[in-house]
Amino acid sequence: MLANPSTIALASPILQNPSVLPSLYFYQEEKRERLLTVVKAFEDTSVVNDGPQSLPPPISIKIPVGDRHILVETGHLGRQASGSVTVTDGETIIYTSVCLDDVPSEPSDFYPLSVNYQERFSAAGRTSGGFFKREGRLKDHEVLICRLIDRPLRPTMLKGFYHETQILSWVLSYDGLHSPDSLAVTAAGIALALSEVPNTEVIAGVRVGLVDNTFIVNPTTKEMEESELDLLLAGTDSAIFMIEGYCNFLPEEKLLEAVQIGQDAVRAICNEVNALVKKCGKPKMLDAIKLPPPELYKHIEEIAGDELVKVLQIRSKVPRRKALQSLEENVLSILTEKGYVSKEENFGIPETVADLLEVEEEDEEVVVDGEVDEGDVHIKPNGRRSSPLLFSEVDVKLVFKEVTSKFLRRRIVEGGKRSDGRTPEGIRPIVSSCGLLPRAHGSALFTRGETQSLAVVTLGDRQMAQRVDNLVDEDEFKRFYLQYSFPPSSVGEVGRIGAPSRREIGHGMLAERALEPILPSENDFPYTVRVESTITESNGSSSMASVCGGCLALQDAGVPVKCMIAGVAMGMVLNTEEFGGDGTPLILSDITGSEDASGDMDFKVAGNEDGVTAFQMDIKVGGITLPVMRTALLQARDGRKHILAEMLKCSPSPSKRLSKYAPLIHVMKVNPEKVNIIIGSGGKKVKSIIEETGVDAIDTQDDGTVKITGKDLSSIEKSKSIISQLTMVPGVGDIYKNCEIKSVAPYGVFVEIAPGREGLCHISELSSNWLPKAEDAFKVGDRVDVKLIEVNEKGQLRLSRKALLPEATSEKSSVEQQARDLTEGNTEQSKDKSSASKFVNPIKVDSVEDAPLSKKKVYKRLTSSARDGPQKNRSRTVSSITSKDENSLVNGEAKIG
């Protein structure tokens, strides 16, 4: 962008002649130099080039990852951003940019980093299904990827840098084969490394799968369908910073192998990116880092050191928190009395460029609120000048928190005791109970120390499934999902209540993926399962409490889970040598909130004694190595064993039976070609069945599966009977009772044996006696019992009433006698019999049905499986559900193991 010559002309004399602005003298020298650098940059770019301009060629590198290469390009998109790259894998392309605010925000203990990742529907040749036809708020899986990008990058940011930083990432092209999530992590790490943001090291991410006992780096979506492991790892060339993975009870050693392979792939990517950064990376803004004065640490330790030791021994969270707040206020008041801290509100707020120039143009436009058109000047409010005093109130609070963390770590390492008196391996007391909510399908309250989760399970049919919108043009429905809620009351605070936060979405997904492997298949349990975990009290490890509470609630709802699982959160003090230790990292089991905030690691592991189902690790320092991770995994396994033993003491214990308020689901199988008959034109038939029988829903699938959901067995039985009649496949020898005569012809009558299914009963098969006309003995609306005696190649049904009459028995005996005579060589009688058999011929009629279909399978999930095929003397009426089946369906026990 070309500089405005008038702006340069105005700015240059002001800066070159200090006498013009005598009020600038008290400002910091480094900020004056920074402004001079900015103006010089404007002057360097003020030359106008009237000739044709073209985009410079992008700088690109190819990096081997797994069995293919990824392409990294920079310099052709987003050139005004501080850093921007595109990363390509196959035909999947990620574009990521990094920008930072010119003015630093107020100092805090939380780095002002925001991440936004979005999958554009156009990347897959689609448009949004909404009314506005554009992307809206982030979907849950996009929020999860935002977290995957944020978590490994945040520990690499240098303390004291308060310029708000924003990372934007878009999927521009998606081939359906190469997943964009791990690619987005790598793209963000590269863009950040190329930008001016001061960070320590380059971050890259990969996915590791396990197919046929072989580890695959960045597997395709097809390979992931067969994978036993879904591990996403991010780190540097020397350490691991973030891990998130899900598996089906893999042992710890197998996980460590996967981490090692992932770390090797990350190291190779980082080495290539380092070369790219040296070639075209921007200088880091190290001069913008502002740390609290070192003297402040000494002052606070002298004032509050002895009192901190006592406060950190308070075991309960709320009293300890209030004591720390009181101590912090005391430290602030003492430093203020000594003249170290200013009471003025405008202390320590950084000044803007407008402060330095202090020049107002007559035509200057100040936009108070609203949008600013491109090219307009947006003047921010005047910054507040710094005070000549030594410390700011914000610095005091930041340093007090660091000193508190230091004393807590020292207490754990030196004394071997934590704030609540536990050893590093200790687990807090556990109390659990089930069946608290009488109308819920399943409920459990799990309490571990001061962390408490109320888990509630709701069972439903397919209509309750969660629809997932994705880039691939396929409808995806989740039959199991867990929703995590963390109200501010759980920590005794007042806060916002509304849409779930990113943290809530992330914790819910972790607990959901941990519980998913223990659920039965849809064939064995056709319900949609929803778990709600509401954190009613929190002091660390609330997501793992959701895993434990969710497992108990599933059993209380009668879900036949494969086994029980538990979760535990692990912490760490990495540098023990600082506090008199031997330098070996100290691993903490079942960490509390303060240990999470003050520690160096948050490592959540869920599973049972045999293996792991889900794990998530975040590092807050310079990463960890595999030996440290191995120690943490083995200690986590011991913790899970203890928690599982305590969960078995649950009182009241899980009912392991379906609640009487839960819906009943009957699953039956029909010929796929008959599904449309059940639905009817515009869904009229299925709606009429629901209305007639009183069931809640009837769900049909293309493969012929029909699920009937109802509140009672009688309504399900009625619906099942109607559907069976609609989709029946007639078999020779079947008997149909009380069937209605639909029409009468001179040669016979047409009888409806099932809704919409008719067959001809020839006049010769109506009676044992001779009838001149069918209408002489029968009329429309009469009901008769008939037997199917023939299905011709066109699917036409030939029925017989005579075969069911008492006289038919004597005729049958006569035929058998003739057969015996034929065996004895009576050829004359044989010819007569043959001649008689030619007397009855099938008559071509207009009322025909489809050809006979393959035999039908009828399943009833949860209780038993039955197979009903074409058999002789099969009754038309579907057999009713026995009382034994009813007990199994309503009160069936959930099998564990």
Side-chain angles (χ1 to χ4, degrees):
M1 184 178 70
L2 298 179
N4 188 338
S6 62
T7 304
I8 301 302
L10 176 66
S12 296
I14 292 175
L15 296 173
Q16 294 172 3
N17 185 6
S19 63
V20 177
L21 292 177
S23 59
L24 293 176
Y25 280 120
F26 69 92
Y27 288 116
Q28 300 175 6
E29 182 66 24
E30 57 198 40
K31 294 193 175 181
R32 184 183 296 109
E33 293 175 358
R34 183 176 179 83
L35 183 59
L36 286 169
T37 304
V38 172
V39 174
K40 186 176 184 302
F42 274 114
E43 293 174 345
D44 293 341
T45 59
S46 61
V47 179
V48 178
N49 184 5
D50 296 330
Q53 298 185 11
S54 60
L55 288 174
I59 301 174
S60 62
I61 57 171
K62 282 189 174 182
I63 304 175
V65 180
D67 58 354
R68 56 187 184 274
H69 290 74
I70 62 172
L71 176 65
V72 179
E73 294 181 298
T74 186
H76 65 303
L77 285 180
R79 292 177 298 158
Q80 294 186 36
S82 181
S84 64
V85 294
T86 59
V87 181
T88 305
D89 185 8
E91 292 183 346
T92 297
I93 301 176
I94 304 289
Y95 166 60
T96 301
S97 65
V98 175
C99 291
L100 64 158
D101 201 347
D102 293 333
V103 181
S105 57
E106 183 146 354
S108 69
D109 61 341
F110 194 74
Y111 181 74
L113 171 67
S114 61
V115 178
N116 194 84
Y117 165 91
Q118 192 171 51
E119 296 175 350
R120 297 285 178 86
F121 283 101
S122 57
R126 298 180 58 203
T127 57
S128 173
F131 176 79
F132 295 102
K133 299 301 178 187
R134 67 178 299 167
E135 287 76 12
R137 64 184 294 270
L138 296 184
K139 296 178 280 291
D140 282 2
H141 77 277
E142 291 173 329
V143 169
L144 295 171
I145 297 175
C146 288
R147 286 172 54 83
L148 290 175
I149 296 171
D150 183 292
R151 284 158 44 200
L153 294 180
R154 193 171 291 277
T156 68
M157 303 299 184
L158 296 179
K159 287 185 178 180
F161 186 76
Y162 301 118
H163 290 256
E164 185 175 353
T165 306
Q166 186 178 51
I167 298 177
L168 303 178
S169 186
W170 293 278
V171 180
L172 300 184
S173 176
Y174 179 59
D175 58 9
L177 199 61
H178 303 95
S179 298
D181 48 3
S182 60
L183 213 59
V185 176
T186 299
I190 298 174
L192 194 67
L194 294 172
S195 73
E196 301 163 283
V197 178
N199 65 329
T200 55
E201 296 178 271
V202 177
I203 292 289
V206 296
R207 169 174 270 108
V208 179
L210 178 61
V211 180
D212 295 332
N213 209 31
T214 302
F215 292 105
I216 303 175
V217 177
N218 278 3
T220 63
T221 53
K222 291 183 178 179
E223 290 172 329
M224 282 304 300
E225 291 176 0
E226 306 296 329
S227 178
E228 302 175 50
L229 171 69
D230 182 6
L231 167 67
L232 202 147
L233 178 144
T236 66
D237 56 356
S238 59
I240 303 164
F241 276 75
M242 187 273 294
I243 290 176
E244 183 155 333
Y246 310 100
C247 50
N248 191 8
F249 297 101
L250 283 182
E252 284 79 2
E253 290 300 327
K254 207 70 174 178
L255 295 181
L256 291 169
E257 289 182 41
V259 171
Q260 179 64 67
I261 290 174
Q263 174 61 20
D264 293 341
V266 165
R267 183 183 299 111
I269 297 174
C270 291
N271 291 336
E272 296 288 340
V273 174
N274 283 326
L276 179 66
V277 172
K278 290 179 181 178
K279 183 177 180 181
C280 58
K282 294 182 179 179
K284 300 296 183 181
M285 294 173 56
L286 297 175
D287 60 327
I289 296 176
K290 303 300 176 188
L291 295 172
E295 299 85 1
L296 186 55
Y297 291 86
K298 181 180 177 182
H299 284 301
I300 291 179
E301 287 190 21
E302 289 176 352
I303 295 171
D306 295 338
E307 193 67 24
L308 263 177
V309 173
K310 298 177 182 177
V311 169
L312 292 176
Q313 294 177 7
I314 301 175
R315 297 195 174 193
S316 298
K317 175 185 175 179
V318 175
R320 184 171 62 249
R321 183 184 65 190
K322 291 182 177 180
L324 285 173
Q325 289 175 348
S326 175
L327 182 58
E328 181 185 70
E329 292 173 3
N330 185 40
V331 169
L332 245 156
S333 115
I334 292 175
L335 289 175
T336 304
E337 290 173 2
K338 292 183 178 181
Y340 290 126
V341 177
S342 171
K343 295 181 180 179
E344 299 178 8
E345 294 181 359
N346 58 358
F347 178 86
I349 304 300
E351 55 277 339
T352 64
V353 175
D355 291 325
L356 297 180
L357 293 177
E358 288 192 345
V359 175
E360 295 183 2
E361 296 184 15
E362 293 181 359
D363 58 347
E364 185 176 39
E365 178 179 351
V366 179
V367 180
V368 179
D369 194 11
E371 297 182 352
V372 183
D373 292 334
E374 191 170 332
D376 290 346
V377 179
H378 185 188
I379 302 300
K380 298 182 179 180
N382 289 336
R384 291 167 287 189
R385 295 179 175 84
S386 58
S387 168
L389 296 180
L390 188 57
F391 308 129
S392 71
E393 184 175 333
V394 175
D395 283 341
V396 173
K397 292 183 176 181
L398 290 175
V399 173
F400 181 81
K401 183 175 180 179
E402 289 187 37
V403 171
T404 302
S405 174
K406 176 182 176 181
F407 274 62
L408 178 64
R409 294 153 65 92
R410 176 182 294 165
R411 169 180 166 81
I412 296 173
V413 175
E414 290 182 353
K417 295 290 184 181
R418 296 147 78 174
S419 292
D420 53 8
R422 287 181 293 150
T423 63
E425 300 82 10
I427 305 293
R428 290 173 287 178
I430 294 173
V431 178
S432 55
S433 57
C434 289
L436 285 78
L437 309 177
R439 299 290 298 202
H441 300 162
S443 59
L445 183 66
F446 178 84
T447 306
R448 180 166 55 203
E450 294 178 305
T451 298
Q452 190 177 72
S453 168
L454 176 63
V456 181
V457 171
T458 306
L459 304 178
D461 58 3
R462 192 170 183 267
Q463 294 180 356
M464 201 182 83
Q466 187 179 54
R467 186 177 182 272
V468 180
D469 200 2
N470 50 38
L471 283 177
V472 183
D473 191 12
E474 296 177 359
D475 287 337
E476 181 183 349
F477 292 91
K478 291 171 62 175
R479 60 178 289 263
F480 169 69
Y481 50 96
L482 186 147
Q483 295 169 335
Y484 169 99
S485 177
F486 190 90
S489 61
S490 64
V491 288
E493 297 177 356
V494 176
R496 178 189 68 90
I497 290 291
S501 65
R502 292 188 174 189
R503 177 183 177 275
E504 288 175 312
I505 293 173
H507 280 32
M509 179 55 65
L510 176 63
E512 176 185 313
R513 296 289 296 269
L515 289 168
E516 197 169 14
I518 69 172
L519 292 178
S521 66
E522 188 173 5
N523 291 336
D524 297 327
F525 194 76
Y527 287 91
T528 295
V529 182
R530 179 195 183 203
V531 180
E532 295 172 272
S533 175
T534 302
I535 304 304
T536 52
E537 189 177 349
S538 177
N539 188 14
S541 307
S542 60
S543 61
M544 296 296 96
S546 299
V547 173
C548 300
C551 180
L552 292 172
L554 287 171
Q555 296 177 63
D556 190 56
V559 179
V561 297
K562 299 175 183 176
C563 63
M564 289 181 63
I565 65 168
V568 63
M570 313 296 292
M572 177 180 67
V573 178
L574 184 62
N575 186 12
T576 57
E577 194 172 359
E578 178 185 358
F579 307 109
D582 58 1
T584 304
L586 180 63
I587 307 298
L588 307 177
S589 297
D590 185 23
I591 56 175
T592 62
S594 59
E595 292 167 345
D596 184 6
S598 302
D600 299 324
M601 178 182 74
D602 182 11
F603 190 12
K604 304 179 180 73
V605 189
N608 61 5
E609 308 93 335
D610 301 323
V612 175
T613 60
F615 51 98
Q616 183 185 89
M617 183 183 73
D618 295 312
I619 299 300
K620 306 171 187 178
V621 290
I624 65 169
T625 58
L626 275 176
V628 176
M629 187 177 174
R630 175 179 283 103
T631 303
L633 276 172
L634 296 179
Q635 189 167 321
R637 182 174 61 187
D638 295 336
R640 293 198 309 274
K641 290 180 180 179
H642 174 80
I643 296 170
L644 285 169
E646 294 297 315
M647 289 170 63
L648 292 174
K649 301 176 184 178
C650 176
S651 177
S653 60
S655 67
K656 299 182 182 180
R657 307 172 79 85
L658 285 175
S659 167
K660 62 181 179 180
Y661 300 112
L664 304 178
I665 297 181
H666 176 76
V667 181
M668 58 190 300
K669 198 81 170 179
V670 302
N671 192 294
E673 297 180 7
K674 299 291 184 180
V675 170
N676 290 334
I677 299 177
I678 303 173
I679 299 173
S681 177
K684 291 181 180 179
K685 190 61 181 178
V686 69
K687 290 177 182 177
S688 68
I689 298 174
I690 293 174
E691 185 176 353
E692 178 184 348
T693 61
V695 296
D696 294 336
I698 297 175
D699 177 50
T700 60
Q701 298 177 14
D702 294 339
D703 63 351
T705 301
V706 180
K707 296 181 181 178
I708 308 170
T709 306
K711 293 183 175 63
D712 56 82
L713 290 172
S714 60
S715 61
I716 291 179
E717 170 68 17
K718 293 177 184 177
S719 179
K720 173 186 170 185
S721 176
I722 294 174
I723 293 174
S724 298
Q725 294 170 13
L726 284 173
T727 60
M728 61 170 294
V729 179
V732 175
D734 289 352
I735 297 173
Y736 305 95
K737 297 184 177 182
N738 200 28
C739 299
E740 184 180 357
I741 297 177
K742 288 295 186 179
S743 60
V744 180
Y747 48 81
V749 297
F750 290 94
V751 182
E752 185 182 51
I753 62 173
R757 197 67 191 269
E758 297 178 7
L760 172 64
C761 185
H762 191 261
I763 190 171
S764 62
E765 296 292 336
L766 282 173
S767 175
S768 302
N769 303 320
W770 180 80
L771 286 177
K773 292 182 180 180
E775 56 263 29
D776 294 342
F778 300 94
K779 63 181 182 298
V780 175
D782 288 349
R783 293 190 172 273
V784 294
D785 297 341
V786 293
K787 181 178 182 179
L788 181 61
I789 59 175
E790 183 183 349
V791 180
N792 67 13
E793 59 184 11
K794 294 182 179 181
Q796 298 169 340
L797 307 181
R798 185 167 170 236
L799 306 173
S800 174
R801 176 175 175 270
K802 182 175 67 174
L804 300 178
L805 296 176
E807 295 83 351
T809 305
S810 59
E811 293 179 3
K812 181 178 179 181
S813 301
S814 176
V815 172
E816 292 176 353
Q817 179 62 41
Q818 292 178 12
R820 284 194 295 269
D821 294 342
L822 181 61
T823 304
E824 295 172 0
N826 192 339
T827 56
E828 197 67 35
Q829 291 182 357
S830 173
K831 290 179 181 180
D832 293 341
K833 180 174 178 293
S834 177
S835 176
S837 66
K838 294 178 182 179
F839 177 77
V840 181
N841 292 318
I843 301 174
K844 182 177 181 180
V845 295
D846 294 332
S847 178
V848 298
E849 296 294 331
D850 297 331
L853 301 172
S854 60
K855 59 183 180 179
K856 176 182 65 177
K857 296 180 182 178
V858 180
Y859 298 96
K860 178 145 56 130
R861 312 294 186 208
L862 311 180
T863 54
S864 60
S865 297
R867 187 183 297 268
D868 296 329
Q871 300 173 0
K872 292 186 178 181
N873 300 326
R874 184 180 62 180
S875 173
R876 165 182 174 266
T877 306
V878 179
S879 59
S880 61
I881 301 176
T882 64
S883 59
K884 180 179 179 181
D885 289 336
E886 180 180 353
N887 293 334
S888 299
L889 187 61
V890 178
N891 301 314
E893 291 192 2
K895 297 179 180 179
I896 308 297

